[in-house]
Amino acid sequence: MPVATDHLPSSRTAQPRRLFEITDHVLGILERGGADLNQLGMPAPPEPEDGLWEDVRVPRARALKNIWINSMKDAAHDEYLRWRLDDLAPEQKKDVLKDWLASLVEAKRVKGRPATLQLIVPGNVGSGKTTALAALGNEASEQGLHTLFVKHATYLTLRRPSGGPEDMTAYRVRKKFVEADLLILDEFCGEMDGVATEFARRETIDLVDSRLAAGRATAYSTNLRSRSTPQFPAPGIADILGERLLSRLQSRAHLEKIHGQDRRKPRKALDW
């Protein structure tokens, strides 16, 4: 009796996979995640064409760069990705930012802690603070630092039980932002007109304290002064978040004020 062979596998077309063989799909996932492919017996990838460090594993370097880009996109700041420190105006303190970045890169290379862990950048609205720190982050992410950008108000929202994405618990949100080599916390105390809630104070102090204890660098931009004074009666950081937080903020910190005209203000006043 003849046997139908239409559905039988052909030895010529369907070769069984070897045990533990890594498919191209799995290899791509590992590479995007920054896995060391040498440990899997895979050949080293070719040198990148975008000038990433030679002493940083290419998959790892690309992953770090993508992490930074995604954090900027999450903040709707895609337009800032083009800025580099050399593009900044002198009043945006590009030389100070270059020196601090160099110290962070060197500290990571020797597995040490930078002398300055916190950079505070106050200034008036529209003076270019966010642009300056975005340029810092752009270059840091290309020099081997795990760098993230988030607005202070956004971080607090993400830390609420139902504030983060469906696949990210409040614990994972905290872990993500505590473990970055460099965190740029934009608009610090923004959208806070008076005394902050206990939740905001607790979460902010926890983030600042945890990053200090871990020896990880943080850059803050803010439109506020440290505290209110008779000359400047508007609430400052100490008035909103408390003296304890201000004390922690000033620990191992460097202050660089950026003042200038509002770059976002139209040249001609709008008549409403």
Side-chain angles (χ1 to χ4, degrees):
M1 180 178 179
V3 178
T5 59
D6 293 346
H7 303 292
L8 294 180
S10 169
S11 60
R12 295 182 180 180
T13 59
Q15 296 294 331
R17 295 192 182 279
R18 293 174 298 172
L19 189 62
F20 304 127
E21 180 181 359
I22 299 177
T23 66
D24 291 340
H25 175 68
V26 173
L27 184 61
I29 294 174
L30 293 172
E31 185 175 357
R32 288 191 298 272
D36 186 351
L37 301 185
N38 284 337
Q39 298 294 326
L40 303 173
M42 306 301 296
E47 288 295 322
E49 299 178 356
D50 48 7
L52 297 176
W53 266 8
E54 294 181 359
D55 60 336
V56 177
R57 299 299 310 168
V58 172
R60 173 67 173 168
R62 291 191 183 281
L64 291 176
K65 188 172 182 180
N66 287 334
I67 287 170
W68 164 253
I69 290 173
N70 288 335
S71 75
M72 290 293 283
K73 288 183 176 180
D74 288 342
H77 279 356
D78 309 43
E79 71 275 15
Y80 290 97
L81 291 170
R82 64 184 177 88
W83 289 93
R84 294 297 181 272
L85 293 174
D86 282 334
D87 299 326
L88 302 179
E91 60 267 22
Q92 290 174 295
K93 311 300 176 68
K94 61 182 178 181
D95 290 335
V96 172
L97 296 177
K98 284 181 179 181
D99 290 344
W100 191 50
L101 174 57
S103 73
L104 302 184
V105 172
E106 176 63 14
K108 181 163 186 178
R109 186 186 70 82
V110 300
K111 298 182 179 180
R113 292 191 177 198
T116 300
L117 280 174
Q118 303 191 106
L119 179 67
I120 306 170
V121 183
N124 55 294
V125 175
S127 58
K129 304 180 299 297
T130 297
T131 301
L133 293 186
L136 172 70
N138 289 336
E139 296 200 12
S141 67
E142 294 170 351
Q143 296 189 37
L145 297 183
H146 177 191
T147 311
L148 289 175
F149 180 101
V150 69
K151 293 183 179 181
H152 185 197
T154 301
Y155 174 78
L156 295 176
T157 298
L158 292 173
R159 279 289 291 159
R160 294 188 180 278
S162 59
E166 293 181 359
D167 61 341
M168 185 172 288
T169 63
Y171 167 79
R172 289 182 61 193
V173 168
R174 179 185 181 277
K175 186 174 187 293
K176 171 183 176 179
F177 289 105
V178 167
E179 293 184 350
D181 295 325
L182 171 61
L183 175 64
I184 295 177
L185 200 58
D186 193 39
E187 297 183 6
F188 192 72
C189 278
E191 303 180 20
M192 298 182 185
D193 298 327
V195 178
T197 64
E198 177 60 29
F199 173 82
R201 287 196 299 272
R202 183 182 69 247
E203 291 297 329
T204 303
I205 290 175
D206 172 71
L207 179 64
V208 173
D209 272 346
S210 298
R211 291 190 57 77
L212 278 173
R216 297 189 174 101
T218 309
Y220 308 84
S221 75
T222 182
N223 300 326
L224 304 183
R225 295 177 175 271
S226 58
R227 56 174 57 83
S228 64
T229 65
Q231 185 179 2
F232 301 99
I237 291 175
D239 305 298
I240 295 172
L241 290 174
E243 289 288 347
R244 179 187 172 197
L245 182 281
L246 182 63
S247 174
R248 300 304 293 153
L249 198 64
Q250 294 175 337
S251 176
R252 298 185 68 174
H254 178 76
L255 181 74
E256 277 297 332
K257 296 180 180 180
I258 294 181
H259 290 296
Q261 294 182 350
D262 187 345
R263 297 165 184 260
R264 297 191 293 263
K265 186 177 181 180
R267 294 182 179 180
K268 184 178 179 181
L270 302 177
D271 185 13
W272 287 75

